[in-house]
Amino acid sequence: MDRLRHTDIKFLRGMGPKRAELLDKNLGIKTFHDLLYHFPTHYIDRRSVYRIIDFAGEDMPSIQVRGRFVSFNVQGEGAKMRLVGLFSDGSGVMEVVWFQRIKSLRQLYHTATEYILFGKPSNFNGRWSMVHPEVDTPENASAQGGFRGVYPLTEQLRNRGFSSRTFANAATEILAGIRTVTETLTQQIITRHRLMGLHEALTAIHSPQTPQQLEQARFRLKFEELFYLQLDIQRYARRRNEAIKGFLFPRIGHFFNTFYSQFLPFPLTGAQKRVIKEIRADMATGRQMNRLLQGDVGSGKTLVALLCMLIALDNDAQACLMAPTEILATQHFETISSMVAPMGINVKLLTGSTRKKAREEIHSQLTDGSLHILIGTHAVIEDNVRFKNLGFIVIDEQHRFGVAQRARLWTKNVIAPHVLVMTATPIPRTLAMTVYGDLDVSVIDELPPGRKPVQTLLRYEENRFATYQGIGRQLRLGRQIYIVYPLIKENEKLDLKSLEEGYESICDTFRDYKVAFVHGQMKPQEKEYQMGLFASGEAHILVATTVIEVGVNVPNATTMLIENAERFGLSQLHQLRGRVGRGEGQSYCILMSKRKIASDTRKRLELMTSTTDGFAIAEADMQMRGPGDIEGTMQSGMPIDLHIANLATDGQIVQLARDTACEILDADPELGHPENRPLIVELANLTTRVRDWSRIS
Ligand code: ADP
Ligand code: MG
């Protein structure tokens, strides 16, 4: 494989320096190896030939047609000059258009000869045409086997005569020029999982003969990528675990036991108990815990965090909880301090707006150890905050915290504190396992009993009157209401206007009730004040932007009206909806939308009305948006680029790859055995970048 990695693509027959430069510029392909790993995104079955008479629809896929040119014409002048061929397959006629290489193509193609064209038909004013198709003779096409790969290409490459076939041919040429591609997996792995050999897989991925063969090739190549990714992650995680000492918390003592037996506000759900057990087990190993706690909104993550903090306290360590916003930090502080107050636990709140005097007191109590639990915003990771013995950190809603911020926590102690990252963003397990590297994952998959699922309704502008009547009924029952407006950066001014108008019209409509009002651009104090009005029950209605998306807990609020719901994404709608349905009463979420919306948007809104399951919504979100979006943000910073595997949809292969990597490292942690030599070599080839992301906590 080494030779392939080091041979410049310009040396390929028919390539040359100019075209090689184009390939590099457009697709980053520099070497033989790069070209072999530039895979088709999908395939056309060569045996299926379309008839022109059957062309239909606005967005036809790339297809094949078989027929003859009836005539050729050069039309237009200068830059607009084009060659137009009239092509007939007996069922109908279409135009074939070339804008480049007109002269040479005119000589190359003939009327009356049979050709197979490959391209994407488009329709202009009722006439079908194909621009720059690939043209083959039937003999040539059938010699190339059963399937034709469709490769990612840029416009510039297409204009310079590159086509999908260029890539397939180049790959064939490279593979024919070497006896065999050096295998990158060990024989043991190949036999064990019945994988296709590398040479065969690369051959088949570019020119598959049968669907089965293609499937095997894809599996082999995906497995290989994911295996090395997992091997890399696992190796780092293990090294880190060895290098870094964690706190040993063997004791369950006074604080935990007293709270559990006397002050627990409600019995724990089965899932909460299970997760606490998992965390307890981690804390008793002497290794540093790095755990991701996933639990849908309202599943009761805070209580789990509190109980685990008490374990830290029982072992003479301090605990700290970090939340992404001041509102959330304050709310956590209030909940937690009121729950543990009777036990004489010292809990303090530290945020950007903590006054100097209070701040100084916190600092001194932290260093002398008399402060047990610190709750706050990122203010808690500022440099001058020092702990006597910080043993446990909880990070709520991690997606608002950057990796770098988390890494700063490490400097707070000689021994690395245990870290629990809590999130309500449901991510399929296999995705989390890669994206978060070596974080272990716990899931709370059960809501506290007695919760009635939120009823979600889709409503349009003409239903507004009836909707307001419904809200009026809830208000008369003593319930509180959220009314949410979108606030998206690009359109700040307009959004603010609609928010303010909305606020006025709500005040007008519900004159007998008090309306609070928050948005992201308010001063923190004003925001706090307004939120406080709603949280205390003094205000009945809260008109807000998505600042309330995360964490706010007002169980008496039973109805949420989301304005312009069509402008929100699925996950965001789900997060927002999680603010209601937190108490005993039946809750409602009303999605108010324009009537005229795109069909995807409608699908999204209808899905919201049909399920409250966060994982189902996350999965649908991934399918609708394509995994690219999620992966795009998550994969940045991954140690190995994925060419073919897809973390979102190849979950089973991720699992298999991870298990295989773990088994190998169990038996040979440093990969020193001679039979594992290929793995070391390939790992070094793949991971050339420096990274510190495996210290993600
Ligand atoms: P989230 O996981 O979204 O952070 P919270 O921790 O805010 O959820 O809990 C949501 C609500 O459920 C809170 O009002 C909390 O008091 C309540 N709760 C938590 N655990 C239980 C339980 N085991 N039984 C009943 N209610 C619970
Ligand atoms: Mg929460």
Side-chain angles (χ1 to χ4, degrees):
M1 208 62 184
D2 251 19
R3 227 183 78 216
L4 295 175
R5 276 183 201 281
H6 293 123
T7 311
D8 192 316
I9 196 72
K10 73 181 174 200
F11 297 119
L12 190 67
R13 195 152 60 106
M15 187 62 69
K18 279 239 177 66
R19 284 162 67 81
E21 206 182 299
L22 275 175
L23 267 186
D24 185 12
K25 199 172 115 210
N26 282 274
L27 298 170
I29 295 175
K30 295 181 187 356
T31 64
F32 279 21
H33 178 271
D34 294 341
L35 195 134
L36 281 181
Y37 278 81
H38 184 67
F39 300 138
T41 48
H42 56 285
Y43 297 84
I44 307 289
D45 187 344
R46 284 177 198 268
R47 293 159 304 188
S48 71
V49 171
Y50 248 79
R51 298 192 317 156
I52 295 175
I53 196 172
D54 296 330
F55 286 6
E58 278 167 35
D59 190 31
M60 292 257 321
S62 296
I63 46 101
Q64 297 187 121
V65 283
R66 182 174 182 147
R68 293 179 167 82
F69 285 105
V70 182
S71 66
F72 287 102
N73 256 304
V74 178
Q75 298 178 0
E77 272 175 33
K80 292 218 171 115
M81 188 146 76
R82 59 195 182 270
L83 175 64
V84 179
L86 213 53
F87 189 85
S88 162
D89 71 346
S91 81
V93 179
M94 68 170 178
E95 284 186 351
V96 177
V97 187
W98 292 272
F99 296 98
Q100 314 273 338
R101 300 190 296 144
I102 292 173
K103 240 192 183 158
S104 62
L105 289 175
R106 179 64 195 91
Q107 283 163 6
L108 191 62
Y109 301 138
H110 308 283
T111 51
T113 310
E114 196 180 31
Y115 292 111
I116 291 186
L117 304 191
F118 169 77
K120 192 175 158 63
S122 46
N123 195 327
F124 290 109
N125 302 326
R127 295 177 70 124
W128 288 100
S129 62
M130 219 182 241
V131 179
H132 285 204
E134 291 176 24
V135 183
D136 244 335
T137 59
E139 305 74 54
N140 200 358
S142 65
Q144 284 174 46
F147 289 85
R148 177 195 280 276
V150 181
Y151 291 76
L153 261 173
T154 64
E155 205 47 49
Q156 187 181 38
L157 286 175
R158 207 168 279 131
N159 288 340
R160 299 298 194 87
F162 282 85
S163 65
S164 278
R165 204 176 52 205
T166 318
F167 289 94
N169 288 349
T172 309
E173 174 95 20
I174 292 171
L175 289 167
I178 44 178
R179 202 150 26 88
T180 182
V181 180
T182 314
E183 184 52 66
T184 48
L185 293 171
T186 62
Q187 197 50 50
Q188 191 200 3
I189 299 176
I190 292 176
T191 319
R192 169 97 187 274
H193 299 300
R194 290 193 219 109
L195 299 174
M196 191 181 252
L198 182 56
H199 193 105
E200 195 185 345
L202 286 172
T203 309
I205 200 84
H206 291 289
S207 318
Q209 302 297 318
T210 65
Q212 294 78 5
Q213 192 196 32
L214 175 61
E215 207 31 60
Q216 281 181 25
R218 290 174 66 87
F219 185 83
R220 143 82 208 211
L221 294 165
K222 285 178 178 187
F223 177 87
E224 172 175 334
E225 269 181 7
L226 294 169
F227 169 74
Y228 279 107
L229 187 58
Q230 292 295 335
L231 192 65
D232 187 62
I233 290 170
Q234 290 299 321
R235 203 159 63 122
Y236 268 82
R238 283 163 193 238
R239 282 190 186 164
R240 196 194 66 183
N241 276 341
E242 276 183 13
I244 292 166
K245 272 179 58 149
F247 281 89
L248 181 65
F249 291 161
R251 206 166 39 225
I252 301 294
H254 164 73
F255 288 126
F256 186 95
N257 288 329
T258 311
F259 183 80
Y260 199 87
S261 58
Q262 292 176 33
F263 300 111
L264 202 59
F266 12 65
L268 296 179
T269 62
Q272 284 172 320
K273 283 189 195 158
R274 174 169 41 77
V275 168
I276 291 169
K277 266 198 200 133
E278 287 168 356
I279 295 170
R280 265 178 64 180
D282 279 0
M283 290 177 156
T285 59
R287 274 188 286 114
Q288 186 220 10
M289 173 178 82
N290 275 291
R291 194 167 273 281
L292 176 72
L293 174 55
Q294 283 188 277
D296 212 342
V297 279
S299 60
K301 296 187 288 292
T302 318
L303 195 55
V304 169
L306 173 59
L307 280 156
C308 297
M309 290 199 263
L310 296 180
I311 300 179
L313 268 50
D314 275 337
N315 290 274
D316 304 320
Q318 294 163 300
C320 168
L321 189 157
M322 196 155 75
T325 65
E326 187 142 350
I327 295 171
L328 266 181
T330 309
Q331 207 164 57
H332 278 315
F333 171 72
E334 280 161 6
T335 322
I336 287 173
S337 54
S338 72
M339 277 199 272
V340 300
M343 301 198 309
I345 293 174
N346 184 5
V347 187
K348 289 260 151 71
L349 175 69
L350 179 65
T351 70
S353 44
T354 305
R355 292 287 160 80
K356 187 155 178 267
K357 200 149 160 259
R359 191 178 285 264
E360 281 166 6
E361 191 190 24
I362 289 172
H363 287 173
S364 77
Q365 290 188 353
L366 277 177
T367 38
D368 71 20
S370 60
L371 181 51
H372 300 105
I373 297 178
L374 179 66
I375 295 176
T377 55
H378 56 271
V380 304
I381 56 169
E382 274 163 20
D383 286 339
N384 52 359
V385 178
R386 301 231 178 286
F387 292 79
K388 181 170 183 224
N389 193 27
L390 176 62
F392 181 44
I393 296 175
V394 182
I395 302 172
D396 195 12
E397 303 298 350
Q398 59 58 235
H399 56 281
R400 306 268 168 124
F401 273 106
V403 172
Q405 279 174 311
R406 270 181 265 150
R408 288 183 65 177
L409 294 168
W410 285 70
T411 60
K412 297 266 150 211
N413 255 48
V414 183
I415 302 181
H418 296 302
V419 178
L420 183 69
V421 177
M422 306 198 291
T423 176
T425 313
I427 308 164
R429 210 186 125 75
T430 47
L431 183 56
M433 145 182 352
T434 308
V435 170
Y436 294 109
D438 55 319
L439 291 197
D440 292 311
V441 182
S442 286
V443 182
I444 304 186
D445 49 5
E446 180 186 354
L447 291 181
R451 294 275 173 81
K452 297 192 186 73
V454 179
Q455 272 187 34
T456 304
L457 311 161
L458 178 55
R459 291 290 179 262
Y460 304 103
E461 206 45 55
E462 62 264 30
N463 310 123
R464 185 171 289 278
F465 182 68
T467 303
Y468 281 173
Q469 282 183 320
I471 290 177
R473 278 192 296 276
Q474 289 293 311
L475 285 167
R476 281 193 294 281
L477 288 172
R479 304 297 190 196
Q480 288 165 280
I481 316 289
Y482 291 104
I483 300 181
V484 184
Y485 284 81
L487 189 61
I488 300 169
K489 276 263 155 37
E490 301 104 67
N491 221 338
E492 246 164 47
K493 280 223 181 88
L494 246 153
D495 282 330
L496 199 60
K497 185 158 162 269
S498 81
L499 177 73
E500 275 162 358
E501 283 171 5
Y503 171 67
E504 273 160 31
S505 109
I506 291 295
C507 291
D508 230 37
T509 314
F510 300 102
R511 287 186 184 191
D512 302 338
Y513 297 93
K514 190 166 170 63
V515 186
F517 180 56
V518 286
H519 58 77
Q521 281 152 26
M522 273 178 172
K523 293 219 178 74
Q525 280 101 329
E526 178 63 7
K527 210 156 57 180
E528 295 290 300
Y529 173 72
Q530 295 283 337
M531 283 300 303
L533 286 179
F534 189 69
S536 68
E538 196 178 318
H540 308 95
I541 301 175
L542 179 66
V543 174
T545 58
T546 51
V547 293
I548 59 158
E549 180 185 342
V550 163
V552 181
N553 189 29
V554 181
N556 187 46
T558 51
T559 301
M560 173 176 283
L561 169 63
I562 303 180
E563 295 284 349
N564 292 113
E566 76 278 1
R567 286 175 55 186
F568 293 90
L570 270 179
S571 323
Q572 206 175 19
L573 288 172
H574 181 64
Q575 290 291 322
L576 281 170
R577 183 170 61 181
R579 299 307 109 217
V580 292
R582 302 188 145 236
E584 303 286 281
Q586 174 64 55
S587 289
Y588 304 91
C589 175
I590 303 154
L591 308 173
M592 184 64 79
S593 159
K594 288 194 301 195
R595 187 170 274 284
K596 216 172 161 258
I597 43 179
S599 69
D600 307 13
T601 311
R602 189 174 307 280
K603 253 201 239 154
R604 216 163 55 218
L605 297 178
E606 279 168 0
L607 181 78
M608 285 301 295
T609 65
S610 69
T611 181
T612 52
D613 178 343
F615 278 89
I617 289 171
E619 217 128 90
D621 201 15
M622 207 143 74
Q623 273 157 21
M624 283 183 200
R625 289 193 302 170
D629 249 31
I630 299 174
E631 278 187 283
T633 43
M634 293 194 166
Q635 284 192 1
S636 54
M638 284 217 316
I640 292 173
D641 293 331
L642 298 180
H643 291 99
I644 185 167
N646 178 324
L647 290 177
T649 51
D650 291 326
Q652 285 185 338
I653 313 181
V654 174
Q655 184 71 56
L656 186 69
R658 180 177 164 109
D659 292 347
T660 310
C662 287
E663 277 167 32
I664 289 173
L665 288 171
D666 284 344
D668 182 16
E670 286 306 313
L671 300 178
H673 293 177
E675 84 246 23
N676 287 332
R677 171 110 193 108
L679 305 182
I680 285 279
V681 172
E682 188 61 12
L683 256 189
N685 277 335
L686 290 171
T687 56
T688 44
R689 268 177 293 151
V690 185
R691 96 216 75 130
D692 57 5
W693 74 281
S694 57
R695 292 173 47 121
I696 195 159
S697 62

